[in-house]
Amino acid sequence: MESSPLINVVFLAIVLTFVSLTNANQETHYHEFVVQEKTVTRLCKSHTIITVNGQFPGPILEVRNGDAVTVKVTNKARYNVTIHWHGLRQMQNPWADGPEYVTQCPIMPGNTYTYRFIIQDQEGTLWWHAHSRWLRATVYGALIIHPKLGSSYPFPKPKLELPIVLGEWWNRDIISVQQQALFSGAAPNISDALTINGQPGDLFKCSQQGTVRYSVTPGDTVLLRVINAALNQQLFFAVANHKLTVVATDAVYTKPFATNVIMVGPGQTTDVLLTANQRPGRYYMAARAYATARNAPFDNTTTTAILEYKSATSPPILPQLPAFNDTNTVTSFSNQIKSPGKTDVPTKIDENLFFVVGFGFFNCSPGPRCQGPNNTRFGASMNNVSFVLPNRVSLLQAYTNKIPNIYTTDFPRTPPVKFDYTGNVPRGLWQPIRGTKLYNLKFGSNVQIVLQDTSIFSTEDHPIHLHGYHFYVVGQGFGNFNPSQDTAKFNLFDPPQRNTIDVPVGGWAAIRFVADNPGVWLMHCHIDTHLAWGFAMAFIVENGVGAAQTLLPPPSDLPRC
C-alpha cells in the first residue's frame, strides 16, 4: 500500500531534522543503482549475470558515520529485486531495510524505489546485497563507513585500505539453479569457483589475466576489509607469510589480536591489519571453504588474489589454510573476538527465548519433486516452524496497516517438543510445520536468545543474521545448551557485538540485545539454501513512547506487490 505524498514529505522532514541535529558535518550521498544484465566471462565461459551498474562486484559505497544516504534503484533486469544494507541499524526505518516481502514488496522489472537512510553511530565495514531469491550471488558490494570528520580509528591509520569481497561463482544462471533445487526438493548444485572481488584467481583456467593484484611497499600497513558475500559457504582466509591483526567484526571495533587465519561466515565482515614486513616478493591471499555438514557436497576450490611488493617478480607463495572441517581452528579464532573494553550488556532479561535451528524434511510421494533423502523434500526451520514469506503484501505493511490473514504472532518462544537436539533425533521430529509466525517484543525489552543447532540430517555451523540490530554474543559451546551450567560461564564483561553469529556445528550460541528499534525485523540463516528452505522467523518490535521511539511512516514510492 502506498502512502500519500504528504506523508513522504513528513518522512523526509523527520529524516533531515534528525540528521541536522545529530551531525553538523553530515554529508548527503546520492547514488543511482541500475540493476541490469551483463555478459561476463569466467572459467573460460561467458554467460549473463545480474549486476548493479554493470559492475561485478557492484559499486563500493563510502560514507562517514552520521551521513545521510539516498540510493535510487532502477530495475532493468528480468527478475524482481530488492537491496538490503546488511548490518545497518536503520533506526525507526525498516522501510529501507530491503528483504522482499518482509519490509517491502520487491521492485518489479521497469520500476524504481529510493532507499533513504542515515548512518547512526556505526563505523567500519558492512556491505549491501540483493535480498530477493538468490540474486545476491552477483548483486553485492562493500559499504564502508569511515569515522566522522575529526575522529580516527582506534589504531594507527593504515597506508592502504582494501576491500576483499569473497564470493561464489556459478557457470549456470543462478535463478535456474535455485528453481531446480526448489522443484526437486534436493540440495542445489554447488558453485564452480570461489572468488575474491569477483575473480576466481590464477589457480583456475582462463583466470590469470583477471586475478586481483595489490601492490605494497615494504613497511606499509594495510587494512583489509574482508566481507563474506558467498551465497552458501563459510570461508577461511589467510595471506601467505603474513600475520593478520583483527581490529573489527561486523563494523564494531574489537580488542586487537593476531592470527594466521580468519573464518568469515556468509554475511559477516572482519577488518584485519597486515604489515608488509616480509622479504619483498609475491604472496597469495587465499580463501577456501569451512564445511561442516556431514556427507554434503561443497565447493572445495581455492580462490586467490596476489599481494606483491613493488618490483617483485617471484612466483606467488600460497598460505597454509586449515582443513575444510577444522572446527578447532574456528573455535579458537571466534573465542578471541571480544569488545575493546567493558560493555553495557543487558543483565535483567525480560524475554528469555530458546530457538532450535537446523534441517528438516517434508514427506512426499516418490517422484521428480521428491528427490531429497529417502524420497523427501529438504526443509529447514526455527522451533519447528519452516518460514513462509507472504506474496501479496510485506509483513511490515501488514503490521502497520493491520491487514489480517498475512501472519500470526504465535512463533514459539521455546521448541514445541524438547528432545536430545544434537543426539539421535527420532524421525517423528524431522518434519517441521510451514507457517508465517512472528514474535512480539515490547519496546525496550531486554532479550536473550539461545540458538541451538540440531543433528537432524546433519549438524552444521549456521550463520544467523538479525536485521536492524547488533547483539552481544555472551556465550557459545558444543552439544546441548545447559542453562544451569552454561549461563554461569557467560561473558558479561567484554563480549563481541555482531549482526551475524556463526552458531557452532552441533552446538549453541547465546545472544543478548535491547529491543530499541521498532518495526518488523527478519532473523534468518545467511546460507541462502537454508533460507529458501524456511530457516527464518521475524520479530515485531512495538513502538515505544514519543517520536524517537516510533516507527517512521512509509515513503510514498514504496513498491506495490
Side-chain angles (χ1 to χ4, degrees):
M1 293 201 173
E2 293 193 7
S3 57
S4 70
L6 176 61
I7 287 180
N8 203 42
V9 169
V10 172
F11 176 87
L12 280 174
I14 293 170
V15 168
L16 293 174
T17 302
F18 184 86
V19 170
S20 64
L21 290 173
T22 36
N23 186 6
N25 295 320
Q26 152 269 329
E27 290 183 32
T28 299
H29 298 259
Y30 182 82
H31 299 273
E32 293 205 13
F33 277 14
V34 179
V35 180
Q36 59 193 117
E37 296 184 6
K38 183 177 182 177
T39 301
V40 298
T41 302
R42 297 289 187 278
L43 309 181
C44 318
K45 297 175 182 172
S46 296
H47 82 95
T48 301
I49 62 170
I50 308 299
T51 67
V52 168
N53 299 351
Q55 299 175 41
F56 172 61
I60 298 170
L61 300 192
E62 293 202 58
V63 298
R64 290 190 181 277
N65 184 6
D67 285 354
V69 183
T70 298
V71 185
K72 180 183 178 184
V73 178
T74 302
N75 185 6
K76 292 189 176 178
R78 58 199 149 127
Y79 305 115
N80 291 344
V81 74
T82 65
I83 303 291
H84 170 53
W85 315 93
H86 186 110
L88 272 188
R89 290 292 317 268
Q90 301 286 12
M91 299 301 292
Q92 304 169 254
N93 187 24
W95 307 107
D97 191 43
E100 71 172 353
Y101 299 116
V102 177
T103 60
Q104 66 168 99
C105 296
I107 308 165
M108 296 180 186
N111 291 2
T112 66
Y113 177 49
T114 300
Y115 294 90
R116 300 175 179 87
F117 51 86
I118 303 161
I119 313 296
Q120 294 183 52
D121 297 322
Q122 291 187 261
E123 53 189 68
T125 305
L126 294 175
W127 63 302
W128 57 265
H129 60 82
H131 211 302
S132 36
R133 295 204 276 181
W134 283 8
L135 291 181
R136 81 171 178 87
T138 54
V139 178
Y140 60 77
L143 171 57
I144 296 168
I145 308 171
H146 296 285
K148 292 179 181 179
L149 284 171
S151 300
S152 60
Y153 301 131
F155 46 81
K157 184 173 171 56
K159 179 80 176 294
L160 296 171
E161 298 188 17
L162 306 175
I164 306 292
V165 189
L166 310 176
E168 290 172 284
W169 175 263
W170 277 261
N171 281 330
R172 288 179 55 202
D173 173 68
I174 193 63
I175 298 299
S176 69
V177 173
Q178 181 187 14
Q179 286 173 335
Q180 172 62 28
L182 292 179
F183 175 83
S184 69
N189 288 345
I190 59 171
S191 51
D192 296 287
L194 303 174
T195 58
I196 294 177
N197 292 354
Q199 295 289 345
D202 61 12
L203 303 185
F204 290 85
K205 288 181 181 176
C206 310
S207 301
Q208 185 161 355
Q209 190 174 352
T211 299
V212 175
R213 291 175 171 79
Y214 293 114
S215 181
V216 294
T217 302
D220 283 353
T221 300
V222 185
L223 177 63
L224 303 179
R225 299 177 176 274
V226 185
I227 300 166
N228 186 348
L231 206 64
N232 292 323
Q233 192 60 64
Q234 288 90 340
L235 295 167
F236 288 116
F237 174 84
V239 182
N241 291 16
H242 289 74
K243 282 273 188 190
L244 305 175
T245 299
V246 176
V247 292
T249 56
D250 291 359
V252 180
Y253 295 119
T254 62
K255 203 169 271 154
F257 67 94
T259 181
N260 292 322
V261 64
I262 64 174
M263 195 287 284
V264 195
Q268 293 183 330
T269 71
T270 304
D271 290 2
V272 296
L273 291 173
L274 171 152
T275 303
N277 57 7
Q278 295 301 300
R279 183 175 59 79
R282 302 171 76 229
Y283 300 89
Y284 277 124
M285 302 175 175
R288 77 174 182 193
Y290 168 51
T292 57
R294 290 187 304 272
N295 303 319
F298 65 95
D299 184 337
N300 63 3
T301 62
T302 300
T303 178
T304 56
I306 298 173
L307 184 78
E308 48 193 16
Y309 287 65
K310 287 195 168 76
S311 75
T313 56
S314 55
I317 302 167
L318 267 172
Q320 271 200 315
L321 287 165
F324 295 117
N325 62 349
D326 188 348
T327 294
N328 288 339
T329 291
V330 173
T331 305
S332 171
F333 170 71
S334 60
N335 284 345
Q336 293 181 80
I337 304 171
K338 292 182 168 63
S339 288
K342 188 172 184 346
T343 56
D344 192 16
V345 187
T347 51
K348 179 184 171 295
I349 301 302
D350 304 304
E351 292 276 2
N352 199 351
L353 308 176
F354 185 77
F355 290 177
V356 167
V357 302
F359 297 113
F361 296 99
F362 291 103
N363 296 326
C364 59
S365 304
R369 296 189 65 96
C370 300
Q371 295 182 41
N374 301 316
N375 298 314
T376 62
R377 294 180 59 80
F378 266 111
S381 68
M382 300 179 76
N383 276 356
N384 204 47
V385 180
S386 188
F387 195 68
V388 178
L389 285 170
N391 57 18
R392 59 188 180 92
V393 68
S394 75
L395 294 172
L396 183 60
Q397 289 166 291
Y399 168 61
T400 54
N401 295 322
K402 297 181 171 53
I403 302 171
N405 305 320
I406 303 297
Y407 64 84
T408 58
T409 55
D410 57 345
F411 185 87
R413 58 186 302 127
T414 57
V417 178
K418 293 178 172 53
F419 56 96
D420 181 1
Y421 308 115
T422 54
N424 191 11
V425 183
R427 290 201 171 232
L429 299 175
W430 285 24
Q431 179 156 314
I433 60 164
R434 290 187 174 95
T436 310
K437 296 176 182 288
L438 279 57
Y439 191 89
N440 250 68
L441 293 172
K442 297 282 186 193
F443 186 92
S445 57
N446 292 333
V447 184
Q448 175 177 295
I449 309 173
V450 174
L451 297 158
Q452 172 71 61
D453 189 24
T454 68
S455 54
I456 297 170
F457 176 66
S458 171
T459 54
E460 183 168 356
D461 179 295
H462 292 287
I464 296 180
H465 173 47
L466 175 59
H467 289 232
Y469 284 88
H470 273 125
F471 46 76
Y472 293 102
V473 183
V474 295
Q476 296 183 78
F478 293 100
N480 296 336
F481 176 71
N482 183 325
S484 60
Q485 294 178 9
D486 293 326
T487 305
K489 302 173 191 167
F490 282 177
N491 175 9
L492 303 180
F493 180 78
D494 59 357
Q497 284 191 80
R498 305 216 64 148
N499 64 55
T500 306
I501 174 63
D502 263 274
V503 177
V505 53
W508 56 270
I511 66 172
R512 291 184 180 183
F513 63 95
V514 180
D516 60 357
N517 193 7
V520 177
W521 303 104
L522 188 65
M523 188 177 199
H524 65 96
C525 184
H526 221 274
I527 292 176
D528 272 26
T529 298
H530 301 173
L531 174 59
W533 287 341
F535 194 148
M537 59 81 65
F539 289 104
I540 294 172
V541 179
E542 297 174 3
N543 286 334
V545 178
Q549 299 181 1
T550 300
L551 188 63
L552 289 169
S556 64
D557 62 341
L558 194 68
R560 292 177 177 272
C561 283

